[in-house]
Amino acid sequence: MFLTITTTGTPERPATDLGFLLHKHPGKSQAFSTSYGTAHVLYPEADAERCTAALLLEVDAVALVRRGKGKGRGGAPDAALAQYVNDRPYAASSLLAVALSGVFSSAMRGVCNARPGLPAQARPLRIEVPAVPARGGPELVRRLFEPLGWAVTAEPVPLDVRFPEWGDSRYVRLVLESQALTLAEALRHLYVLLPVLDDAKHYWVSSDEVDKLLRAGEGWLPDHPEQKVITSRYLSRRWSLTRQAMERLELVRLAEADDSAVEDIDNAVEAEGETEEKPTPLAVQRRDAIIAALKASGAARVLDLGCGQGQLVQALLKDPAFTEIVGVDVSMRALAIAERRLKLDRMGERQASRVKLFQSSLSYTDKRLEGYDAAVLSEVIEHLDLPRLPALEYAVFGAARPRTVLVTTPNVEYNVRWESLPAGHVRHGDHRFEWTREEFRAWARAVAERHGYGVEFVPVGLDDPEVGPPTQMAVFSMRNDANDVNDVKEAKVA
């Protein structure tokens, strides 16, 4: 198997920067042993104007079979002879994808200690693969790569050049060109899509492949128009894994949804002429109400579940009463933005010891969430499909069981007060539902009853006498033996 990566440059930005990005010196030829052969990295050309890195993967077909990796489509054993005589040494497949991740692991992660700013720079890229199995033909190749910003050339390879009447094979010569992508993005695209085109994995596909797919697909797979095809093929059409991956990708998509529409509505100014003073944005009022409720509960160790880009975590850090603050989100992209917002890399040791960020899905139990004083679900539940709410409920109230849980969500009754919101529309396109006050209270009371909590309801924002507040908040408090018989209370904030 053979693959080349070419870039061009100028005296100010020489093309040989490719060596820094790949962590492979342009003046050397290097070999790397793998369990299925040897990967060679060399540079056919390297100067300031043009630099090409080549990856040549020599596959030992016999060793592949002996080590149990001579698998066919879906991980099933090939016919006896086909295990030894096949296209594995010559056509790009999952084996080349694995070699890319092993040989260029730092480049794929976007890490370059020698030149830290280099990986984030988009640069001209041309990637060529002489033979790629494409089950679906050139049209599928274009559908997979073009939405990612690539100009795609996929030339079918004839079955036999001597007999053109035999037609084309299932292989294509692939050329990808882009001016707007980073090298790390390009490598992650190849890592996922090469085995997708082949529609086969030549090793056993286990549950950890879902994590690999989500890591490599971060930032592009949740919104890819061929997401279902990519996920199914990458996971060798194993339905249980595909379903798990699709659920997690949907959560990522919701978490990464642009919050600007919500903020535009939340921050809508009062009617003209009422006042010249700009009102406090609803997002700020919501954070203030959450912090006040946390302090009233006496919480010191707090979980922000679905922390997004870290606004609440940032606000909590300003108050020394909160000794440990943990931001949790399913989106690695959102967590990366939160890390930059908080300036964790420049934060003092003492302050940094108070905050943690980690990835987790709120639809699954996670032992790391256990033992905290309080958990916050701020504008989270409405982004989930209603059938997924019981899973979130159990993960938070049944498994993690913090002493206090705060849940905020829009009050749909208040939507009539938003002049910019068309009738019948929810506040954000990603909201799966928006509840009335009675619907929210019925859900919260049922959750409290099932899990041994009491609950109070707190309005956030102007409490309109007809339609209520723009945001409704439920404050769940774990019941002690002494007050298990207490009725669910309602509290109003002046």
Side-chain angles (χ1 to χ4, degrees):
M1 304 181 203
F2 190 66
L3 175 147
T4 60
I5 304 171
T6 301
T7 187
T8 56
T10 63
E12 294 76 23
R13 292 184 60 189
T16 48
D17 283 349
L18 186 62
F20 285 102
L21 291 168
L22 293 175
H23 294 251
K24 304 293 182 288
H25 195 287
K28 297 180 180 179
S29 175
Q30 298 174 265
F32 304 87
S33 295
T34 71
S35 60
Y36 43 81
T38 305
H40 302 268
V41 178
L42 60 150
Y43 288 78
E45 56 183 341
D47 57 43
E49 294 183 354
R50 184 179 173 90
C51 185
T52 298
L55 175 64
L56 172 64
L57 181 60
E58 292 183 300
V59 174
D60 184 339
V62 175
L64 195 64
V65 174
R66 288 176 176 171
R67 290 181 172 87
K69 298 181 174 63
K71 305 293 183 183
R73 296 183 65 184
D78 288 336
L81 182 59
Q83 294 184 74
Y84 298 94
V85 183
N86 52 50
D87 63 356
R88 297 309 91 195
Y90 314 108
S93 66
S94 61
L95 298 181
L96 182 59
V98 172
L100 280 171
S101 69
V103 175
F104 300 139
S105 60
S106 296
M108 190 175 291
R109 297 196 313 270
V111 174
C112 181
N113 294 331
R115 302 275 296 279
L118 203 58
Q121 297 176 7
R123 58 189 313 113
L125 291 172
R126 178 184 173 90
I127 295 173
E128 297 186 54
V129 191
V132 179
R135 300 179 189 273
E139 177 58 31
L140 177 62
V141 179
R142 285 188 283 270
R143 295 206 321 264
L144 293 179
F145 283 99
E146 284 181 349
L148 302 175
W150 292 103
V152 179
T153 301
E155 299 177 352
V157 177
L159 277 171
D160 193 320
V161 293
R162 299 170 298 174
F163 304 100
E165 65 273 15
W166 289 3
D168 296 326
S169 69
R170 67 183 180 91
Y171 301 92
V172 299
R173 172 181 171 268
L174 177 63
V175 179
L176 303 172
E177 296 179 283
S178 173
Q179 301 285 327
L181 294 171
T182 66
L183 181 63
E185 291 171 328
L187 292 175
R188 289 196 293 268
H189 295 166
L190 291 169
Y191 176 78
V192 172
L193 297 180
L194 287 179
V196 168
L197 285 171
D198 192 17
D199 198 10
K201 281 289 185 74
H202 300 91
Y203 53 84
W204 177 249
V205 175
S206 58
S207 58
D208 63 348
E209 291 295 298
V210 176
D211 294 326
K212 294 178 185 178
L213 174 63
L214 266 62
R215 283 197 298 268
E218 181 188 345
W220 62 270
L221 183 54
D223 297 316
H224 197 291
E226 299 295 333
Q227 180 197 101
K228 291 182 180 179
V229 173
I230 294 170
T231 303
S232 175
R233 287 191 172 199
Y234 184 88
L235 297 170
S236 294
R237 303 181 187 272
R238 292 187 60 186
W239 169 238
S240 60
L241 298 182
T242 302
R243 181 176 58 187
Q244 179 185 346
M246 293 295 292
E247 288 177 354
R248 291 176 61 181
L249 284 168
E250 177 65 6
L251 290 172
V252 170
R253 189 185 70 80
L254 296 176
E256 292 184 348
D258 185 5
D259 290 335
S260 61
V262 177
E263 291 297 321
D264 287 345
I265 294 174
D266 283 354
N267 299 339
V269 295
E270 295 178 353
E272 290 184 14
E274 284 187 11
T275 177
E276 296 181 358
E277 183 181 353
K278 187 176 180 179
T280 303
L282 181 57
V284 175
Q285 295 183 56
R286 186 186 303 123
R287 285 196 291 271
D288 289 345
I290 289 170
I291 292 172
L294 289 173
K295 296 190 77 169
S297 74
R301 303 174 67 240
V302 179
L303 294 167
D304 182 7
L305 303 178
C307 67
Q309 299 178 8
Q311 292 94 330
L312 178 60
V313 173
Q314 187 177 42
L316 292 173
L317 272 172
K318 296 177 181 178
D319 193 325
F322 303 109
T323 59
E324 183 178 353
I325 304 139
V326 178
V328 181
D329 206 283
V330 72
S331 167
M332 288 300 296
R333 178 174 175 268
L335 291 172
I337 295 173
E339 184 174 351
R340 290 196 295 271
R341 174 190 294 274
L342 298 171
K343 299 181 175 63
L344 290 183
D345 56 336
R346 288 176 278 172
M347 190 176 289
E349 183 177 349
R350 185 173 180 179
Q351 185 79 332
S353 67
R354 296 174 57 213
V355 61
K356 297 176 186 174
L357 300 175
F358 63 75
Q359 183 187 34
S360 185
S361 169
L362 301 183
S363 294
Y364 301 93
T365 60
D366 189 333
K367 288 187 178 297
R368 294 176 297 177
L369 305 183
E370 297 176 5
Y372 285 84
D373 299 331
V376 178
L377 289 157
S378 179
E379 309 301 284
V380 170
I381 60 172
E382 64 272 12
H383 288 278
L384 296 179
D385 290 320
L386 283 170
R388 301 298 300 165
L389 274 184
L392 177 144
E393 174 193 331
Y394 177 75
V396 176
F397 294 89
R401 294 193 62 78
R403 291 205 318 267
T404 301
V405 181
L406 309 182
V407 180
T408 74
T409 192
N411 168 23
V412 70
E413 296 171 80
Y414 193 88
N415 288 357
V416 296
R417 296 291 189 257
W418 300 120
E419 295 182 4
S420 58
L421 186 64
H425 285 233
V426 293
R427 298 186 196 179
H428 191 281
D430 281 315
H431 286 183
R432 301 312 197 200
F433 61 88
E434 289 179 357
W435 275 332
T436 64
R437 286 169 290 174
E438 187 51 43
E439 288 171 330
F440 179 54
R441 291 174 182 182
W443 173 80
R445 289 173 177 137
V447 170
E449 182 64 27
R450 282 192 291 268
H451 298 284
Y453 284 79
V455 61
E456 299 178 354
F457 299 100
V458 178
V460 178
L462 177 64
D463 196 356
D464 189 287
E466 295 181 2
V467 297
T471 293
Q472 44 192 340
M473 180 167 69
V475 180
F476 296 85
S477 302
M478 187 179 292
R479 288 174 173 164
N480 298 320
D481 293 341
N483 61 11
D484 277 347
V485 296
N486 284 355
D487 292 332
V488 174
K489 300 180 295 179
E490 291 187 6
K492 292 186 177 180
V493 174

